[in-house]
């Protein structure tokens, strides 16, 4: 148990150093996740010194610190995954255990009552945390944490049942199968939950880097490279199955005038507004990307020419028109129906159609 506590302590130090190197918006909750194993290790030391320290430290505070560590872990995960946490009710419950633990240690000594109180609070906390983690996106780290929480909840449930059966024993260190199962489960949980936190933090950073590599930082549309990569996949599907797909080239009309007249901040706002309006008009399978400057690209998987023109017209009509501040849009559409097509050729046709739309008065859709 002391060895697992030491390993968890080392993993907590890893989390602390990781937090220092993470971007500010990714740090939420990491401080609490790092503090949880520190509290668990402290409580382990206090439990281990039972008989050498007053019961205030080795019983009351040891149990309270252990529950505080689980609470810190729960709140830290909420902040890490969602950016918000419900902590007031649980904090009040954990603090309320302090005078109760003291009462049943000195005033009316009862190991069974203390154990029932402790396992009830801890078990409920673990189950609440497991339910929260099950609502998060499935990943290896999330699965590890859920399994460990489930294991520890099971052990705590069995320990609570032993209280009602009168088989709880006389103390934590008393030899017995249930005590051994609890101590081993607690040791494994401390280590594996800390490892799970490190895995979650690492995975979050990987996801962030992948997002930055595939999304435009201003508009949050996909990058040109990401859309074209998906277009290559659609072309391969066309060659295998014969499914058509379409590309739309979009260019904001008179965008330079907005920058020149109102400044680049308003220009950025116009790009963001365009992206949001366009995204609302697209289907779930369609992909919007920023091609460069005020030019955008839309990939329409499994879409023939007639359907693509309908989507393009919806996008065009969704944009603001004078005197509203913003830009109309000119759109060129090209559809791939032949296995001999290439992405460069499809882009060239869409670009030529876009040029005609610009030349013929802007704010219109043309097919290439």
């Amino acid at each position: 148990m002391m060895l697992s506590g030491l390993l968890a302590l080392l993993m907590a130090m890893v989390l602390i150093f990781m937090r220092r190197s993470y971007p500010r918006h990714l740090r939420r909750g990491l401080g609490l996740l790092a503090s949880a194993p520190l509290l668990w290790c402290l409580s382990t030391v206090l439990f281990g010194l039972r008989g050498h320290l007053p019961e205030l430290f080795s019983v009351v505070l040891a149990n309270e610190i252990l529950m505080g560590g689980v609470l810190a872990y729960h709140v830290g995960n909420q902040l890490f995954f969602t950016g918000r946490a419900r902590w007031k009710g649980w904090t009040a419950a954990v603090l309320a255990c302090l005078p109760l633990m003291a009462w049943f240690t000195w005033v009316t000594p009862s190991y069974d009552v203390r154990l029932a109180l402790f396992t009830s609070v801890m078990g409920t906390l673990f189950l609440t945390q497991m339910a929260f983690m099950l609502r998060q996106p499935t990943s290896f780290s999330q699965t590890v944490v859920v399994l460990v929480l489930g294991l520890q909840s099971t052990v705590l449930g069995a320990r609570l049942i032993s209280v009602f059966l009168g088989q709880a024993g006389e103390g934590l260190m008393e030899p017995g199968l249930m005590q051994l199962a609890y101590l081993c489960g607690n040791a494994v949980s401390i280590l594996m939950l800390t490892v799970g936190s490190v895995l979650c933090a690492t995975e979050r950073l990987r996801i962030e880097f992948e997002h930055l590599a595939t999304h435009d930082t201003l508009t949050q549309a996909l990058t040109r490279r990401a859309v074209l990569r998906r277009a290559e996949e659609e072309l391969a599907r066309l060659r295998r199955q014969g499914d058509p797909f379409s590309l739309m080239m979009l260019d904001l009309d008179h965008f330079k005038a907005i920058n020149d007249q109102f400044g680049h901040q308003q220009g950025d706002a116009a790009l963001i507004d365009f992206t949001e309006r366009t995204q609302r008009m697209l289907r779930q399978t369609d992909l919007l990307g920023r091609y460069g400057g005020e030019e955008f690209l839309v990939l329409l998987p499994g879409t023939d020419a007639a359907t693509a023109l309908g989507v393009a017209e919806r996008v065009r009509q969704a944009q603001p028109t004078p005197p509203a501040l913003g830009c109309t849009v000119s759109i060129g559409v090209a559809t791939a129906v032949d296995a001999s097509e290439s992405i460069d050729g499809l882009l060239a046709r869409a670009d030529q159609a876009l040029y005609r739309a610009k030349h013929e008065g802007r704010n219109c859709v043309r097919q290439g």
Side-chain angles (χ1 to χ4, degrees), residues 28 68 128 300 315:
R28 291 176 302 191
T128 302
L300 306 170
V315 170

Side-chain angles (χ1 to χ4, degrees), residues 112 115 156-169 178:
D112 284 355
L115 183 57
L156 287 169
R159 201 172 184 221
L160 182 60
I161 291 173
S162 72
V163 175
F164 294 109
L165 295 178
Q167 299 176 4
M178 183 54 62

